[in-house]
């Protein structure tokens, strides 16, 4: 059974009760048994037992999963369907490779900083100019491509490796991540501003690479390990107490998945564990050290809600800290929206290859935003920001999606 042998016990725990149907967003859109956790588990089990050859239909079943983890929360037998799908994808990669070519090319591009920078520059320059001249092409597979920001200069080239403050109380390193580096550079600047305003000396190691999660979730552990080692080695070389991450996806990979990734390497595993123990999500860290309320003075009177990224609420289980920070802002009225932890439909490359399904899932999230009556949706994930803002724009709504760090940074202005 190969890779699937390690999870066969969990595969057998599924009682086929169907409670996962109430949680699975892909099932609610598609209605097919192969698009719900119960059905996916039975297919994976059949492959593990040699009763089913992994074909295109099987690939479709395991690749369409959002990996949101909502099924694992709902399951009375505590079956972690998202982890079983990850194992199935790893097994499929070892058997068949990564299909199709476009997906393979995208994953290779994401893993290589030079290729990724060229891709962003191409998109931000010629690509967007071409799109502006094509009537009706505002969105591509549910993504607001015209509205997507591209940094003129990557964030890592805008800042020195160390940003000092007088009498620092904390020494932290900032893992930037691809989106904040190449697209949301102003959000990265906001992170640094909030940290320095709270007496943190900030180290920003140069040569940072993708965390490896895109490759990891499609079973390409080899490429993910290359990037993970670069990240671990470069950050552990710095004299810092905490590694701050402002991307929900990245922080889950760095904190939760790195030790899993190196579980088969006993010589390197302790290093991965040492690294992961230092990792904290941005709002988690800021709430921990506490903010000086006397420095907050310039917030606008707005109604704000919060969207829980899947990797935050069901990954590292950080939910209260971002809300705590938002509620601390002067003049901000916090309103909890319905289904705040509902997946927004982004889920990496799933939104590109299953765009109709993702768009339907996003539509419900944007409706919940509208119903909440807020002006701003705060969140902690760049991918969620892009997905939800695109959904809001497509729906003709006028709410703005912002990172928690951006709202905090604005409160320090003046």
């Amino acid at each position: 059974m190969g890779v699937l042998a390690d999870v066969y016990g969990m595969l057998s725990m599924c009682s086929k009760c169907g409670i996962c149907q109430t949680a699975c967003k892909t099932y609610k859109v598609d209605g097919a048994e192969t698009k719900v956790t119960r059905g996916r588990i039975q297919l994976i089990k059949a492959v593990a037992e040699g009763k089913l050859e992994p074909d295109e239909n099987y690939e479709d079943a395991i690749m369409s999963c959002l990996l949101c983890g909502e099924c694992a929360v709902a399951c009375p037998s505590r079956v972690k369907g998202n982890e079983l799908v990850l194992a199935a994808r790893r097994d499929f990669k070892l058997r068949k490779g990564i299909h199709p070519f476009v997906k393979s090319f995208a994953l290779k591009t994401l893993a290589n900083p030079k290729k990724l920078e060229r891709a962003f520059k191409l998109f931000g320059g010629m690509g967007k100019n071409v799109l502006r001249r094509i009537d009706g092409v505002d969105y591509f597979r549910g993504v607001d491509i015209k509205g997507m920001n591209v940094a003129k200069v990557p964030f890592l080239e805008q800042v020195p490796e160390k940003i000092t403050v007088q009498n620092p109380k904390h020494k932290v390193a900032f893992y930037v991540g691809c989106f904040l580096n190449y697209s949301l550079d102003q959000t990265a600047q906001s992170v640094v501003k909030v940290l320095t305003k709270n007496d943190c000396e900030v180290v920003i190691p140069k040569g940072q690479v993708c965390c490896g999660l895109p490759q990891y979730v499609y079973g390409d552990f080899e490429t993910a390990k290359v990037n993970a080692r670069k990240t671990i080695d470069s950050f552990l070389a710095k004299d810092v107490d905490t590694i701050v991450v402002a991307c929900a996806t990245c922080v889950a990979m760095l904190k939760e998945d790195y030790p899993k990734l190196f579980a088969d390497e006993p010589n390197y595993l302790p290093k991965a564990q040492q690294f992961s123990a230092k990792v904290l999500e941005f709002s988690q860290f800021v709430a921990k050290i506490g903010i000086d309320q006397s420095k907050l003075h310039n917030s606008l009177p707005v109604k704000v809600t919060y969207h829980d990224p899947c990797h935050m609420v069901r990954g590292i289980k950080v939910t209260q800290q971002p809300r705590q920070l938002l509620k601390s802002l002067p003049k901000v009225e916090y309103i909890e929206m319905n289904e705040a932890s509902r997946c927004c439909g982004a889920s990496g490359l799933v939104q590109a290859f299953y765009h109709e399904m993702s768009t339907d899932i996003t539509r419900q999230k944007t409706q919940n935003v509208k119903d909440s009556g807020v002006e701003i949706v705060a969140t902690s994930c760049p991918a969620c920001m892009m997905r939800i803002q695109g959904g809001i724009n497509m729906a003709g709504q006028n709410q703005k999606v912002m990172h928690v760090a951006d709202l905090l940074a604005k409160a320090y202005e003046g």
Side-chain angles (χ1 to χ4, degrees):
M1 290 188 288
V3 174
L4 299 183
D6 295 333
V7 297
Y8 189 77
M10 188 180 293
L11 287 168
S12 300
M13 286 171 58
C14 176
S15 63
K16 308 176 190 175
C17 67
I19 290 179
C20 52
Q21 292 178 341
T22 65
C24 183
K25 301 301 177 285
T26 59
Y27 175 75
K28 289 185 177 181
V29 170
D30 190 279
E33 184 69 14
T34 56
K35 295 293 171 58
V36 71
T37 311
R38 178 179 65 178
R40 289 183 173 115
I41 288 176
Q42 297 313 307
L43 289 174
I44 297 168
K45 189 177 181 182
V47 169
E49 294 172 343
K51 297 177 181 178
L52 177 69
E53 177 65 23
D55 56 14
E56 290 183 0
N57 292 328
Y58 174 78
E59 181 181 10
D60 178 70
I62 62 173
M63 295 302 176
S64 60
C65 176
L66 296 167
L67 298 175
C68 65
E70 293 194 44
C71 60
V73 175
C75 181
S77 300
R78 298 183 180 180
V79 176
K80 297 180 180 179
N82 52 321
E83 293 187 6
L84 294 175
V85 169
L86 279 173
R89 289 183 180 185
R90 172 62 174 164
D91 175 74
F92 191 88
K93 195 276 179 181
L94 293 174
R95 293 174 189 245
K96 307 278 189 176
I98 295 201
H99 301 281
F101 169 77
V102 175
K103 184 183 294 181
S104 178
F105 178 79
L107 292 174
K108 289 178 181 178
T109 300
L110 288 167
N112 187 303
K114 292 183 178 179
K115 290 181 179 179
L116 188 57
E117 182 176 356
R118 284 198 295 268
F120 268 95
K121 285 183 176 178
L122 177 64
F123 173 80
M126 181 183 70
K128 293 187 82 169
N129 287 333
V130 170
L131 288 171
R132 288 190 185 101
R133 298 173 184 176
I134 303 176
D135 292 336
V137 186
D138 294 321
Y139 303 93
F140 178 72
R141 293 182 173 257
V143 178
D144 182 5
I145 47 179
K146 283 189 177 180
M148 181 180 172
N149 183 66
V150 177
K152 293 181 179 179
V153 178
F155 170 76
L156 288 171
E157 295 179 20
Q158 299 177 21
V159 293
E161 187 164 70
K162 180 184 286 188
I163 300 173
T164 59
V165 296
Q166 287 187 341
N167 304 316
K169 295 180 181 178
H170 314 278
K171 291 184 177 181
V172 306
F174 177 25
Y175 177 82
V176 180
C178 301
F179 251 113
L180 295 189
N181 187 36
Y182 297 113
S183 178
L184 303 176
D185 55 316
Q186 289 304 308
T187 297
Q189 292 285 4
S190 294
V191 170
V192 172
K193 182 175 184 177
V194 174
L195 292 175
T196 54
K197 287 287 186 179
N198 286 282
D199 304 313
C200 295
E201 178 180 279
V202 184
V203 176
I204 309 171
K206 299 294 182 179
Q208 295 188 35
V209 295
C210 173
C211 66
L213 184 131
Q215 297 75 30
Y216 177 68
V217 298
Y218 283 102
D220 186 1
F221 286 16
E222 294 73 25
T223 303
K225 281 186 175 182
V226 170
N227 280 18
R229 283 194 182 90
K230 290 179 181 178
T231 302
I232 292 168
D233 293 342
S234 63
F235 276 80
L236 286 185
K238 307 301 179 183
D239 179 24
V240 297
D241 302 316
T242 306
I243 299 166
V244 176
V245 188
C247 171
T249 303
C250 293
V251 73
M253 181 66 180
L254 271 56
K255 191 164 188 66
E256 300 292 328
D257 295 325
Y258 273 13
K260 297 176 186 176
L261 187 61
F262 290 102
D264 61 345
E265 296 189 28
N267 292 331
Y268 197 82
L269 179 59
K271 203 170 186 179
Q273 292 172 327
Q274 180 188 358
F275 168 87
S276 295
K278 288 188 172 188
V279 173
L280 288 178
E281 190 272 330
F282 168 77
S283 63
Q284 187 182 21
F285 174 73
V286 175
K288 177 183 177 182
I289 65 173
I291 55 177
D292 186 348
Q293 292 288 330
S294 66
K295 296 180 180 178
L296 301 177
H297 54 81
N298 200 37
S299 288
L300 296 174
V302 291
K303 294 179 180 179
V304 178
T305 193
Y306 181 74
H307 160 72
D308 290 284
C310 296
H311 285 107
M312 290 270 283
V313 63
R314 289 173 289 276
I316 62 171
K317 296 178 173 56
V318 171
T319 59
Q320 294 307 310
Q321 293 92 326
R323 288 171 169 83
Q324 174 187 332
L325 294 176
L326 293 171
K327 291 174 183 179
S328 73
L329 298 177
K331 302 179 184 178
V332 166
E333 180 184 352
Y334 181 80
I335 298 173
E336 187 75 12
M337 73 170 157
N338 185 39
E339 297 181 312
S341 63
R342 179 190 180 95
C343 179
C344 70
S347 190
L349 293 180
V350 171
Q351 65 185 316
F353 288 93
Y354 297 92
H355 60 282
E356 292 180 354
M357 177 187 75
S358 293
T359 299
D360 281 346
I361 294 169
T362 305
R363 192 175 293 117
Q364 183 58 56
K365 172 61 70 172
T366 55
Q367 182 62 48
N368 288 342
V369 170
K370 181 180 180 180
D371 292 343
S372 69
V374 300
E375 297 148 278
I376 293 176
V377 183
T379 190
S380 306
C381 176
C384 293
M385 290 173 66
M386 179 184 73
R387 188 74 202 178
I388 297 172
Q389 189 66 71
I392 286 171
N393 296 346
M394 287 180 70
Q397 299 170 205
N398 57 8
Q399 297 84 10
K400 185 176 182 181
V401 183
M402 298 179 67
H403 196 285
V404 173
D406 289 320
L407 282 164
L408 281 173
K410 282 187 176 295
Y412 286 111
E413 293 176 359

